[in-house]
Amino acid sequence: MNRKPAAQVRIVCLLLLALSLCSTAQPAAQTEKEGESLRRKLQEKLDEFHAKGKFPGATVGLALADGTSLGLAVGLSDVESERVMTPRDLMLQGSVGKTYVAALAMQLVQERKLGLDDPIEKYLGREKWFGRLPNARDITVRMLMNHTSGLVRYEFKEEFTRDLTANPDKVWKPEELVSYILDTKAPFAAGKGWDYSDTNYIVLGMIIERITGNTYYQELQRRILSPLKLRETVPSNSRTIQKLAQGYAGKDNPFGGADAMIQAGRMVINPQFEWTGGGIASTAEDLARWAKMLYEGKAFDASLLGRMLEGVPARLGPEAKYGLGVIIRPTTLGITYGHSGFFPGYITEVMYFAEAKVAIAVQVNTSVPRATGKPLSRFITELAEIVINEQRSTNDAEVMSVVNRLFAAMEAKQAEALRALFIPEGRLVSTSMRQGQTAVRLLALDDFLKLVMETKEPFRERMFDAEVRAQGDIAAVWGRYDFHVGERLTNCGHNSIQLVRVRGEWKIVNIASTIITQGCQETK
């Protein structure tokens, strides 16, 4: 039985040999144009958020996938003086400050000066008060960091808030803070439950100082703030903090008893008490930069990042977990890492979207419940959608521009223009099939260019219904095509083109074409 000759199918692949050349740097003019469009859309979203809420002002910071960052602001930093909020205004981070403490602790783990599963008795067991600490001899460092120790919150004890308000100039010692929970009953055995508590990080701070022989803030400056160039991040260890926006805590504020947290240039309570339970003021932009560096493994040995991100179930929202100083939350845009923060007069939220490599921080200068109208985490996710969609749109246009230039350079037989579109270290692999026989042929890029240049008849290729998928520095294009030699339609099929971004420009890595030589029809 005779069979009709099968349609010729040829697969052409360009293999990348040196992915290490990839970089996320963007050409300056292109980045500026993209940044203007993105900034406008984000500002519009922030303005809308402010209009629907009941808060004086807010700042937003973003650290984008390419490493650039930006800050936005809305509303007032001081209602009485009608001073406008700016991206350079600082606000108190509240518990977000635990992220720095956790990173510093992980550096000590890296240096083998601290063990996550060490009992805290190893470091503090000789303290006179240690035996009065609930669960004292069963608590490990890891339990402090993920809030499974059973130590309850000292800061919401009525005795503490009363003493804090009555003594606004008092400089608090860690032992004095811990004293408010001594001799109390733990809600669960160490490691057998979860309960968020600043006390855990106060105890961790004491361990850090015991190991290093320096104050926490000295180590923070030396190990994190200076090397990572976080110049708009400062300790909140005084009643006077430069560039701090006014905070509004509401009429029922138990911390200081006042709505406005800054009076006559000084805070009504001493924020120094927060220490390693928070203890930081910053701009939103600096905070976003910090989150991106932290969750991309640049604050300590990246091999330890997985240990930080091992979470336990936490009562912080649907499917939320808590790792070592990090809230782990699923969203419609994938998994996020970050933290929430409260300090009287201020609320903060920071989230890092792992798949998009984007960090976003929002700070608001009120802690009045429900003043924002929606959770800050939801607002941040809405901002992230804008960022990701904008980046996707920009990437799609850039990628298709490369594909179009490929076909134009082939038609015009411009060898150097063609070469510039590819990774130089690549090679072509041609696989052809005819009547059941397969042959594989390797072609260097130079040989491919020579083949194009030596083709005598004019030819052109067109691509239809192209679909682009880009994520980070990798992209792919699929679509139908037809190929003409002179006026003749000689073959058709489908193209699959893979690209990577190299030093800010998209380069072709891989081309796979199915080439059909029979039954092709002109595409209108």
Side-chain angles (χ1 to χ4, degrees):
M1 180 177 179
N2 294 330
R3 295 184 178 180
K4 295 180 179 180
Q8 180 184 12
V9 179
R10 185 180 66 194
I11 308 295
V12 181
C13 297
L14 178 67
L15 302 179
L16 177 66
L17 297 181
L19 277 170
S20 60
L21 295 175
C22 295
S23 168
T24 58
Q26 297 282 336
Q30 171 186 315
T31 302
E32 184 177 352
K33 183 177 179 180
E34 294 172 8
E36 290 173 358
S37 172
L38 179 61
R39 180 183 290 273
R40 174 179 53 80
K41 293 178 181 179
L42 293 169
Q43 186 66 57
E44 289 174 355
K45 192 68 177 178
L46 178 57
D47 292 343
E48 175 189 312
F49 178 55
H50 182 243
K52 293 182 178 179
K54 297 179 180 179
F55 55 92
T59 56
V60 169
L62 300 100
L64 306 179
D66 63 2
T68 60
S69 64
L70 63 132
L72 304 170
V74 71
L76 300 175
S77 66
D78 189 295
V79 174
E80 288 73 23
S81 66
E82 297 185 344
R83 189 171 71 242
V84 174
M85 185 76 78
T86 77
R88 304 277 71 83
D89 283 318
L90 274 64
M91 294 194 221
L92 294 169
Q93 292 185 5
S95 286
V96 176
K98 292 180 176 67
T99 60
Y100 306 86
V101 184
L104 204 161
M106 295 306 287
Q107 287 189 12
L108 296 176
V109 171
Q110 175 185 336
E111 296 163 12
R112 300 191 177 185
K113 297 176 181 177
L114 178 69
L116 292 177
D117 295 313
D118 285 348
I120 64 172
E121 185 177 14
K122 175 180 177 180
Y123 306 98
L124 302 175
R126 295 184 179 180
E127 298 293 332
K128 293 180 180 180
W129 49 264
F130 183 77
R132 299 168 59 198
L133 194 69
N135 291 341
R137 289 179 172 78
D138 298 321
I139 298 172
T140 65
V141 172
R142 187 191 305 272
M143 293 174 192
L144 293 178
M145 295 181 71
N146 66 14
H147 299 293
T148 58
S149 69
L151 298 180
V152 298
R153 306 180 80 156
Y154 78 89
E155 70 272 23
F156 288 124
K157 293 283 186 180
E158 184 178 346
E159 303 93 319
F160 172 73
T161 57
R162 183 182 61 239
D163 293 346
L164 178 69
T165 301
N167 300 278
D169 287 315
K170 179 177 173 60
V171 175
W172 294 82
K173 297 179 181 179
E175 296 84 355
E176 293 174 319
L177 303 174
V178 171
S179 70
Y180 286 92
I181 70 158
L182 295 180
D183 300 319
T184 60
K185 182 177 175 57
F188 50 81
K192 302 299 182 182
W194 187 87
D195 192 20
Y196 188 87
S197 174
D198 279 13
T199 310
N200 287 310
Y201 277 73
I202 297 300
V203 175
L204 180 61
M206 287 192 275
I207 293 174
I208 288 172
E209 290 196 344
R210 179 63 53 84
I211 291 172
T212 64
N214 292 319
T215 70
Y216 163 66
Y217 286 123
Q218 287 174 331
E219 290 295 303
L220 176 67
Q221 190 68 49
R222 181 177 73 87
R223 291 171 173 268
I224 293 176
L225 301 186
S226 291
L228 297 183
K229 297 180 173 57
L230 296 170
R231 299 187 179 96
E232 294 179 315
T233 302
V234 300
S236 55
N237 58 354
S238 166
R239 291 182 67 188
T240 303
I241 301 172
Q242 297 299 316
K243 299 182 180 180
L244 185 67
Q246 175 67 277
Y248 298 91
K251 61 181 180 179
D252 298 322
N253 171 27
F255 295 89
D259 177 23
M261 292 299 296
I262 302 174
Q263 298 184 8
R266 306 181 75 201
M267 297 202 69
V268 297
I269 57 173
N270 190 352
Q272 173 272 339
F273 81 89
E274 200 180 26
W275 196 48
T276 50
I280 298 292
S282 75
T283 62
E285 183 176 352
D286 232 26
L287 176 52
R289 291 180 56 241
W290 161 242
K292 182 174 173 64
M293 289 187 283
L294 174 60
Y295 301 122
E296 291 182 1
K298 297 175 183 176
F300 51 84
D301 190 326
S303 66
L304 295 175
L305 186 60
R307 298 171 74 178
M308 170 177 272
L309 302 180
E310 291 175 0
V312 297
R315 298 184 300 277
L316 295 169
E319 301 181 58
K321 294 184 177 181
Y322 198 94
L324 305 183
V326 53
I327 300 174
I328 305 163
R329 283 177 286 210
T331 72
T332 55
L333 301 176
I335 201 72
T336 66
Y337 308 117
H339 217 287
S340 306
F342 159 88
F343 190 93
Y346 309 87
I347 54 174
T348 296
E349 190 80 52
V350 62
M351 298 170 70
Y352 173 76
F353 294 80
E355 293 181 15
K357 296 184 178 180
V358 170
I360 303 178
V362 175
Q363 295 184 289
V364 179
N365 62 337
T366 183
S367 57
V368 176
R370 295 177 292 280
T372 57
K374 69 174 74 172
L376 293 188
S377 59
R378 186 186 305 169
F379 176 57
I380 287 178
T381 302
E382 293 172 359
L383 293 175
E385 288 174 349
I386 294 173
V387 173
I388 293 169
N389 287 337
E390 181 81 0
Q391 186 60 51
R392 182 181 296 127
S393 176
T394 300
N395 284 340
D396 288 359
E398 292 173 354
V399 168
M400 281 309 302
S401 174
V402 173
V403 172
N404 292 333
R405 296 204 311 271
L406 167 69
F407 296 144
M410 288 174 62
E411 185 175 350
K413 297 184 179 180
Q414 297 172 333
E416 291 310 309
L418 272 173
R419 185 188 301 277
L421 298 174
F422 287 84
I423 294 290
E425 292 76 10
R427 59 179 179 175
L428 291 163
V429 182
S430 175
T431 304
S432 61
M433 181 178 293
R434 184 188 294 272
Q435 296 181 342
Q437 299 298 314
T438 303
V440 178
R441 180 186 179 191
L442 300 181
L443 270 179
L445 181 56
D446 284 342
D447 294 331
F448 166 70
L449 298 178
K450 183 179 179 181
L451 183 64
V452 170
M453 299 303 293
E454 290 181 350
T455 302
K456 295 181 179 180
E457 294 186 78
F459 61 86
R460 71 179 189 277
E461 183 171 347
R462 297 181 302 170
M463 201 166 177
F464 305 92
D465 303 326
E467 182 178 351
V468 181
R469 288 287 183 271
Q471 181 172 345
D473 295 327
I474 301 174
V477 182
W478 296 269
R480 297 183 299 113
Y481 79 92
D482 61 24
F483 190 89
H484 290 75
V485 176
E487 297 300 320
R488 303 189 316 276
L489 175 60
T490 60
N491 59 74
C492 60
H494 291 80
N495 277 334
S496 175
I497 304 173
Q498 285 75 48
L499 306 92
V500 293
R501 189 153 39 198
V502 180
R503 290 185 287 274
E505 296 184 45
W506 287 104
K507 299 287 186 179
I508 298 172
V509 175
N510 192 58
I511 301 177
S513 299
T514 60
I515 299 179
I516 303 171
T517 58
Q518 295 181 355
C520 295
Q521 297 181 355
E522 292 280 357
T523 302
K524 303 296 183 182

